[in-house]
């Protein structure tokens, strides 16, 4: 916002602006923003500036604020000398109340590694030899490692923390505190939305009292499967489809809370900034929809499926005079899908953009993100492992003899230390040499970089300069062409120059 000097009542004020200037500047900014668009009116801009004044983003020239008396006039305003936002407390990298998961070397609670009860063994010559070799220090023994039992609360906390971390990474935020209250996120909702689904991917509710009423579900099926609703044995008359649609719209319009909830409003709005990157936006919407209560997610899935089918059905009669079917769907259900608790005029534009994108990509958005599910399941499986699996341990579970690491000879150890890491590097060098897609210039550059990083491997492959030169044979130089201008004056006899001396 440009600031400059203004005069009011024989007095000058530095670094301020008039209300009209603020409306002009912000109105143009909102019209050019990808989250709003050219449909923003000047009246809506004034309403937003009233909110700014109420929340002390701006103040009048005398320092007053908190009253929504902002008008489109020449009254002077300024920015407050200090930020109206409270600074976020700097949290440590770890949380004090975070769950400490067991490490590999943690014994079970109340049990020390030295006092583990061991079944008496029958000693034989092989066992005596192994124990004797350990005693004299020839073979290091492998110690059994125990793990703690994961409780249901531990698993739920893993799902919650990893889901929120994944969402924060996709949104590119330093903290999710800006867009949602983490304490209100229910981990049980996430797990239910992932696993309790039908073959079509729709959430199945445990509490049937939270289901859609039967008459609403029948009406939605009727319009979604039009013109096959005659199979439902319902009376057909002129304008029947309009009455059915009005029934559905009335039910969703009287919900106490939008389907995406007041709590997640800021999280869904923040995803709108990623709409230009469609793949990232879909991924962010997938994770946000996992945080919904299961009954909300189910209602949203059924509603979006009905809306998409109605828009694609060419045989559907017009449901409203003067409005296209797609526009009617968005205008009718946008507020019941997304709405803030403190309603602002601009919320309607945000809801329209979100519902339009949701209707076009609902099949992908309302799927469970497979990458997130796989990573969490692998994490839980890793933490549930009771002990290290040694070679041959799974063959005979009742075997009470301890397992040992395989002993190798000193020569084999030295060979693995010297050449174990060089073999992959030699294979990488050969891959660069044989790559036909690389030009000679690029290949020389890569080989020079490889020689600088791994001189020993490079020296072994090219022991002499001649062996390296064979890789880049020199091209025969073309003979210089005889210039025609040199033959204009053929060989002339030597002419003695005239002496300069008198």
């Amino acid at each position: 916002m440009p600031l400059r000097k203004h005069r009011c009542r024989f007095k000058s004020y530095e670094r301020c602006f008039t209300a009209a200037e603020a409306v002009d500047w912000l109105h143009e900014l909102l019209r050019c923003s990808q989250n709003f668009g050219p449909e923003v009116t000047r009246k809506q801009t004034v309403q937003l500036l009233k909110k700014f004044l109420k929340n002390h983003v701006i103040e009048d020239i005398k320092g007053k604020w908190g009253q929504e008396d902002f008008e489109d006039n020449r009254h002077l305003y300024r920015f407050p000398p200090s930020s109206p936002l409270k600074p976020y407390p700097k949290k440590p990298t770890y949380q004090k109340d975070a769950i400490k998961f067991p490490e590999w070397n943690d014994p079970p609670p109340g049990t020390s590694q030295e006092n583990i009860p061991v079944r008496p063994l029958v000693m034989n010559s092989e066992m005596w030899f192994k124990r004797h070799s350990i005693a004299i220090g020839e073979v290091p023994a492998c110690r059994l490692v125990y793990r703690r039992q994961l409780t249901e609360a531990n698993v739920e906390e893993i799902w919650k923390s990893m889901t929120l971390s994944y969402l924060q990474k996709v949104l590119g935020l330093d903290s999710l505190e800006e867009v949602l209250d983490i304490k209100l996120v229910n981990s049980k909702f996430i797990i239910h939305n992932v696993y309790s689904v039908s073959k079509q991917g729709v959430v199945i509710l445990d509490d049937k009292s939270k289901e859609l009423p039967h008459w609403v579900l029948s009406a939605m099926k009727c319009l979604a499967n039009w013109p096959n609703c005659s199979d439902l044995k319902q009376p057909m008359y002129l304008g029947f489809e309009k009455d059915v649609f009005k029934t559905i719209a009335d039910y969703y319009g009287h919900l106490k809370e939008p389907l995406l909830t007041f709590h997640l409003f800021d999280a869904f709005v923040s995803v709108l900034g990623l709409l230009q990157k469609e793949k990232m936006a879909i991924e962010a919407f997938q994770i946000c929809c996992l945080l919904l209560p299961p009954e909300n997610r189910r209602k949203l899935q059924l509603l979006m499926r009905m809306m998409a089918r109605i828009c694609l059905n060419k045989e559907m009669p017009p449901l409203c005079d003067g409005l296209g079917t797609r526009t009617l769907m968005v205008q009718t259900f946008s507020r019941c899908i997304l709405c803030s608790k403190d309603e602002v005029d601009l919320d309607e534009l945000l809801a329209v953009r979100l519902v339009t994108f949701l209707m076009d990509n609902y099949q992908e958005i309302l799927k469970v993100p497979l990458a997130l599910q796989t990573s969490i399941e692998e994490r839980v499986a890793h933490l549930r492992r009771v002990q290290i699996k040694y070679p041959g341990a799974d063959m005979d579970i009742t075997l009470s003899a301890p397992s040992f690491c395989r002993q190798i000879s000193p020569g084999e150890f030295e060979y693995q230390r010297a050449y174990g890491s060089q073999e992959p590097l030699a294979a990488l060098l050969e891959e660069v040499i044989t790559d036909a897609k690389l030009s000679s210039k690029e290949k020389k550059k890569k080989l020079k970089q490889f020689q600088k990083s791994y001189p020993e491997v490079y020296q072994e492959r090219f022991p002499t300069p001649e062996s390296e030169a064979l890789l880049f044979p020199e091209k025969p130089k073309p003979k210089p062409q005889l210039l025609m201008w040199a033959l204009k004056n053929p060989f002339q006899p030597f002419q003695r120059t005239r002496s300069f001396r008198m």
Side-chain angles (χ1 to χ4, degrees):
M1 177 66 202
L3 306 176
R4 61 187 180 88
K5 183 178 179 180
H6 289 83
R7 292 184 62 84
C8 180
R9 296 182 180 178
F10 305 103
K11 200 173 183 181
S12 61
Y13 299 93
E14 299 287 343
R15 297 183 57 79
C16 58
F17 53 90
T18 66
E21 290 174 346
V23 176
D24 292 339
W25 183 84
L26 185 58
H27 186 216
E28 183 63 26
L29 181 69
L30 294 176
R31 284 169 56 85
C32 298
S33 173
Q34 61 178 359
N35 289 334
F36 298 98
E39 297 85 5
V40 180
T41 63
R42 193 174 181 88
K43 183 179 178 181
Q44 291 174 329
T45 308
V46 173
Q47 294 294 327
L48 183 57
L49 284 166
K50 287 184 178 181
K51 294 291 185 182
F52 287 173
L53 180 61
K54 182 179 180 181
N55 291 279
H56 203 199
V57 178
I58 60 176
E59 62 184 16
D60 77 346
I61 202 64
K62 296 182 180 179
K64 297 179 181 179
W65 58 278
Q67 301 294 329
E68 293 186 359
D69 55 354
F70 187 93
E71 296 180 3
D72 192 355
N73 53 24
R74 301 293 299 173
H75 192 75
L76 293 180
Y77 292 90
R78 67 185 182 189
F79 291 107
S82 60
S83 174
L85 294 177
K86 296 180 181 178
Y88 289 110
K90 294 184 179 180
K91 293 187 176 181
T93 55
Y94 61 92
Q95 295 181 357
K96 295 182 179 179
D97 55 348
I99 298 175
K100 182 181 181 300
F101 295 107
E103 300 293 337
W104 280 105
N105 54 356
D106 285 354
T111 305
S112 62
Q113 201 71 14
E114 292 77 13
N115 298 326
I116 297 176
V118 181
R119 183 184 301 176
L121 305 177
V122 178
M123 186 66 67
N124 52 29
S125 58
E126 183 180 358
M127 285 294 303
W128 182 89
F129 175 76
K130 289 183 177 179
R131 290 193 172 188
H132 177 70
S133 61
I134 294 173
I136 63 177
E138 294 179 2
V139 182
C142 294
R143 190 161 61 99
L144 293 179
V145 179
Y146 290 86
R147 315 211 85 173
R148 296 174 186 168
Q149 187 68 28
L150 283 181
T151 63
E152 185 178 353
N154 296 148
V155 177
E156 291 177 358
E157 186 62 29
I158 294 172
W159 272 92
K160 177 179 177 179
S161 60
M162 292 189 68
T163 302
L164 294 178
S165 299
Y166 206 78
L167 177 61
Q168 180 178 341
K169 180 180 177 182
V170 175
L171 294 178
L173 299 176
D174 296 331
S175 173
L176 287 178
E177 294 179 357
E178 304 173 10
V179 295
L180 60 86
D181 188 353
I182 299 177
K183 296 179 182 179
L184 298 180
V185 176
N186 193 326
S187 55
K188 293 182 179 180
F189 291 170
I190 304 174
I191 298 175
H192 188 100
N193 291 333
V194 170
Y195 293 109
S196 298
V197 294
S198 63
K199 294 181 180 180
Q200 293 77 23
V202 181
V203 175
I204 301 174
L205 300 181
D206 297 332
D207 187 359
K208 301 303 179 181
S209 63
K210 297 181 180 179
E211 283 274 10
L212 280 170
H214 177 71
W215 52 273
V216 177
L217 195 59
S218 299
M220 295 176 69
K221 287 182 179 179
C222 175
L223 292 185
N225 300 322
W226 191 275
N228 298 324
C229 63
S230 58
D231 299 339
L232 301 176
K233 298 180 180 180
Q234 293 181 348
M236 297 291 292
Y237 54 86
L238 187 62
F240 171 74
E241 66 282 350
K242 295 181 180 180
D243 291 343
V244 175
F245 179 75
K246 186 176 182 301
T247 301
I248 302 170
D250 288 344
Y251 172 79
Y252 277 94
H254 288 84
L255 293 178
K256 296 180 179 178
E257 187 180 28
L259 296 179
L260 300 185
T261 70
F262 293 136
H263 166 234
L264 297 174
F265 174 80
D266 290 332
F268 279 101
V269 169
S270 63
V271 182
L272 291 176
L274 302 175
L275 290 188
Q276 292 182 343
K277 303 175 182 178
E278 183 176 336
K279 187 176 180 181
M280 292 182 62
I282 290 175
E283 192 174 6
F285 274 127
Q286 283 180 339
I287 304 172
C288 288
C289 289
L290 282 183
L291 308 181
L292 294 172
E295 57 269 21
N296 288 37
R297 183 178 172 91
R298 177 176 172 82
K299 291 176 182 178
L300 180 65
Q301 287 174 319
L302 297 175
L303 178 61
M304 297 311 303
R305 178 181 294 185
M306 183 202 73
M307 292 168 62
R309 288 187 178 182
I310 290 176
C311 292
L312 295 175
N313 191 351
K314 297 181 180 179
E315 299 184 10
M316 173 65 69
L319 297 175
C320 180
D321 299 334
L323 275 181
T325 304
R326 181 181 175 86
T327 306
L328 176 65
M329 293 295 125
V330 174
Q331 290 187 0
T332 303
F333 297 108
S334 59
R335 290 180 62 82
C336 69
I337 293 177
L338 180 71
C339 183
S340 64
K341 200 167 187 178
D342 300 324
E343 295 187 17
V344 182
D345 291 345
L346 296 177
D347 291 352
E348 186 175 353
L349 294 175
L350 297 174
V352 167
R353 285 177 58 84
L354 185 142
V355 173
T356 302
F357 185 83
L358 186 62
M359 190 165 59
D360 293 336
N361 304 276
Y362 81 98
Q363 292 182 339
E364 289 294 325
I365 291 175
L366 295 175
K367 280 183 180 179
V368 176
L370 187 59
L372 174 63
Q373 181 182 357
T374 304
S375 61
I376 296 177
E377 289 176 348
E378 289 177 354
R379 173 67 176 167
V380 173
H382 172 74
L383 293 172
R384 277 179 170 165
R385 292 174 190 163
V386 177
Q387 63 184 31
I388 299 175
K389 297 296 182 182
Y390 296 95
D394 294 332
M395 297 172 58
D396 187 6
I397 302 177
T398 60
L399 186 64
S400 56
S403 301
F404 296 86
C405 297
R406 184 178 69 87
Q407 185 180 13
I408 60 175
S409 63
E412 186 178 356
F413 170 74
E414 292 296 332
Y415 177 81
Q416 290 182 4
R417 186 179 66 174
Y419 300 100
S421 61
Q422 293 186 1
E423 292 178 0
L425 293 175
L428 176 62
L429 179 59
E430 290 296 331
E431 185 178 349
V432 174
I433 294 172
T434 58
D435 192 350
K437 297 181 180 180
L438 292 176
S439 62
S440 298
K441 185 177 180 180
E442 293 176 346
K443 188 174 294 186
K444 286 181 181 179
K445 183 178 179 182
K446 289 183 178 293
L447 290 177
K448 187 175 181 180
Q449 184 179 1
F450 190 95
Q451 182 183 13
K452 185 178 180 181
S453 302
Y454 311 103
E456 296 179 356
V457 181
Y458 191 87
Q459 180 68 24
E460 186 177 355
R461 177 62 176 82
F462 299 107
T464 61
E466 290 78 9
S467 60
E468 184 179 4
L470 293 175
L471 186 61
F472 303 100
E474 294 185 0
K475 297 180 180 179
K477 295 182 179 180
K479 295 182 179 180
Q481 297 180 356
L482 193 62
L483 301 177
M484 295 301 297
W485 61 269
L487 298 177
K488 288 182 179 179
N489 298 322
F491 302 103
Q492 297 179 359
F494 176 75
Q495 295 179 358
R496 188 174 181 178
T497 59
R498 186 179 179 180
S499 176
F500 289 100
R501 289 183 294 179
M502 298 299 294

